Amino acid sequence: MSTVGTAEDLHASATKITGLSDFGEDDYRDGLAVLLESCEKEAALTPLGVKATRAMLRGALGARLLAEQSWRRHPEYADVPVERPVFVTGLPRTGTTALHRLLTADPAHQGLEVWLAEMPQPRPPRETWADDPLFQAIQAGYQRHHIKHPEFMGVHYISADMVEECWQLLRQSFRSVSFECLAHLPTYSAWLAEQDWLPAYRRHRRNLQLIGMPDANRRWVLKNPSHLFALDALLEVYPDALIIQTHRSPRTSMASMCSLAAHSSSGWSTAFEGEVIGRSQLDLWGRGLDLFRAERAKHDPSRFHDVDYDAFVRDPLGTVEEIYTHFGLPFTEEARTAMAALQTGAGPSEARPAHSYSLADFGLTPEEVDERFS
């Protein structure tokens, strides 16, 4: 197949794979249509890129199908509370992943595991995951990816059982900046910038209620840099949310983000590389931070806490304790012990290559980045 395919073809493929046909409301089809148009006209996808993009879109549709089925099977999900969830956000590559994984080590907290973001369902007991065919399939896919692309392990290591970003829940609505972080999609990017994120976040919450059904007494801790683009919608759907914003030198974070985009989409396109990645990501994340800053100014300052990357690296547990104190959360001995154990096992690994990157690789200068984020 020389193109990603039509919406009808992708729907049929997702139905064939899952055996399901109820995609829910039609409030996602506009985003899918614009995305397919942008892929066709602008993305310059290679055969590998076509295959990867098709799998990505089919996966988003499959997740919709599975969520709809699970909501019908477990109508009691609607009564599951999501109280004072913590959202970690900030520019990409500013320590959000490390902070998120540390916070979710607290036994009182829960995060969104990769396989459950892809296959929404009430979270099964962890001891059953290894024998679950769905878990096995997703884990095998990541293991194959790491063998084929060992350099990616040094950029952002992922496995099916790890907590990850919640953009996969937003992708069910085909409203996610993740698409434009993997391809040259100016038409989709311009369209998305004008959209109302509220329906996507309402579906996001319903997914959390479903997945967290067996752990309703545990606080959700989520992270996603793309929350920068939709703070007002997030706070309307989660009116008691607690927001952590991470900060790091934009020169470093943008160089690292461009490198991540390049590694993630390597070989997918003849357009999305080098300077195109640099310019698109500088514009995207500059706009996101502008939006977040403007919307944050409208809300209660006590709902937010800022974390400096360098301070976090110097003293991870001290930084976490400051977060707990600011939000009035109990920092128990169990939480401290679990986080300390995670830190002990989080040192450099010879199996994971070092991540090297440079702004110049993407046609950017330090002065340009400084000016955009001044």
Side-chain angles (χ1 to χ4, degrees):
M1 181 176 291
S2 60
T3 66
V4 174
T6 65
E8 292 72 21
D9 169 57
L10 286 166
H11 280 82
S13 183
T15 290
K16 181 178 180 180
I17 290 172
T18 62
L20 305 171
S21 59
D22 181 4
F23 292 90
E25 296 183 36
D26 286 345
D27 58 358
Y28 67 96
R29 290 179 180 265
D30 54 350
L32 176 58
V34 176
L35 186 54
L36 288 173
E37 176 189 1
S38 201
C39 284
E40 183 70 23
K41 293 181 177 179
E42 301 158 338
L45 297 174
T46 65
L48 177 61
V50 166
K51 181 179 179 181
T53 303
R54 181 174 170 81
M56 188 188 315
L57 303 187
R58 185 177 58 209
L61 290 171
R64 281 191 71 92
L65 289 168
L66 291 167
E68 295 291 339
Q69 179 194 53
S70 287
W71 289 331
R72 287 193 304 274
R73 286 182 173 177
H74 307 280
E76 65 274 22
Y77 85 91
D79 297 323
V80 175
V82 181
E83 296 178 350
R84 299 190 80 202
V86 175
F87 287 84
V88 180
T89 193
L91 288 178
R93 318 302 292 170
T94 56
T96 55
T97 296
L99 178 58
H100 178 228
R101 290 175 180 169
L102 204 56
L103 291 171
T104 54
D106 185 340
H109 292 166
Q110 60 179 314
L112 182 64
E113 292 86 5
V114 170
W115 79 289
L116 294 173
E118 296 188 25
M119 303 284 184
Q121 59 184 289
R123 185 184 290 110
R126 183 171 285 269
E127 61 270 17
T128 68
W129 292 6
D131 296 322
D132 189 302
L134 295 177
F135 177 86
Q136 291 173 350
I138 294 172
Q139 180 73 330
Y142 281 109
Q143 288 171 341
R144 288 193 300 271
H145 178 269
H146 291 318
I147 291 172
K148 291 182 179 179
H149 305 282
E151 73 284 352
F152 188 84
M153 297 172 71
V155 183
H156 187 76
Y157 187 84
I158 303 176
S159 62
D161 61 343
M162 296 179 78
V163 294
E164 251 302 318
E165 296 179 357
C166 49
W167 52 258
Q168 295 219 39
L169 302 184
L170 296 171
R171 281 211 305 205
Q172 289 183 29
S173 301
F174 288 89
R175 282 155 172 78
S176 172
V177 299
S178 62
F179 297 116
E180 55 194 293
C181 292
L182 294 170
H184 182 55
L185 303 169
T187 296
Y188 176 78
S189 180
W191 174 85
L192 183 62
E194 301 298 323
Q195 298 309 302
D196 178 7
W197 289 77
L198 201 53
Y201 273 91
R202 287 177 176 145
R203 187 176 185 92
H204 180 283
R205 184 185 179 107
R206 292 177 67 197
N207 273 279
L208 294 188
Q209 289 176 290
L210 172 72
I211 295 167
M213 278 180 59
D215 302 288
N217 62 328
R218 296 165 65 200
R219 183 189 313 279
W220 275 103
V221 179
L222 302 132
K223 79 103 173 179
N224 189 349
S226 75
H227 293 315
L228 292 176
F229 296 84
L231 179 63
D232 282 348
L234 186 158
L235 289 177
E236 183 164 341
V237 173
Y238 299 99
D240 58 353
L242 310 174
I243 313 293
I244 299 170
Q245 183 180 1
T246 54
H247 303 268
R248 189 184 189 185
S249 163
R251 292 185 181 189
T252 306
S253 62
M254 286 311 305
S256 184
M257 175 59 215
C258 290
S259 178
L260 174 62
H263 280 295
S264 300
S265 61
S266 178
W268 290 11
S269 167
T270 58
F272 193 67
E273 49 190 21
E275 188 171 344
V276 170
I277 291 178
R279 298 296 164 190
S280 65
Q281 297 309 300
L282 183 65
D283 174 71
L284 175 67
W285 294 106
R287 179 163 48 85
L289 197 58
D290 288 344
L291 283 168
F292 186 83
R293 183 183 296 114
E295 294 186 352
R296 174 173 170 170
K298 299 184 294 184
H299 297 283
D300 179 359
S302 68
R303 303 277 299 281
F304 299 85
H305 185 74
D306 296 285
V307 169
D308 175 74
Y309 176 87
D310 293 328
F312 173 54
V313 171
R314 284 194 304 269
D315 186 6
L317 291 184
T319 300
V320 167
E321 189 163 7
E322 290 177 0
I323 292 170
Y324 277 64
T325 299
H326 177 79
F327 290 132
L329 306 177
F331 193 40
T332 64
E333 195 57 41
E334 289 81 5
R336 186 186 298 275
T337 300
M339 292 179 190
L342 183 64
Q343 282 296 111
T344 301
S349 169
E350 293 181 2
R352 301 185 189 181
H355 181 203
S356 60
Y357 44 82
S358 167
L359 284 172
D361 294 338
F362 304 97
L364 299 176
T365 67
E367 291 74 22
E368 284 179 290
V369 174
D370 290 348
E371 182 179 356
R372 183 62 188 87
F373 292 99
S374 61

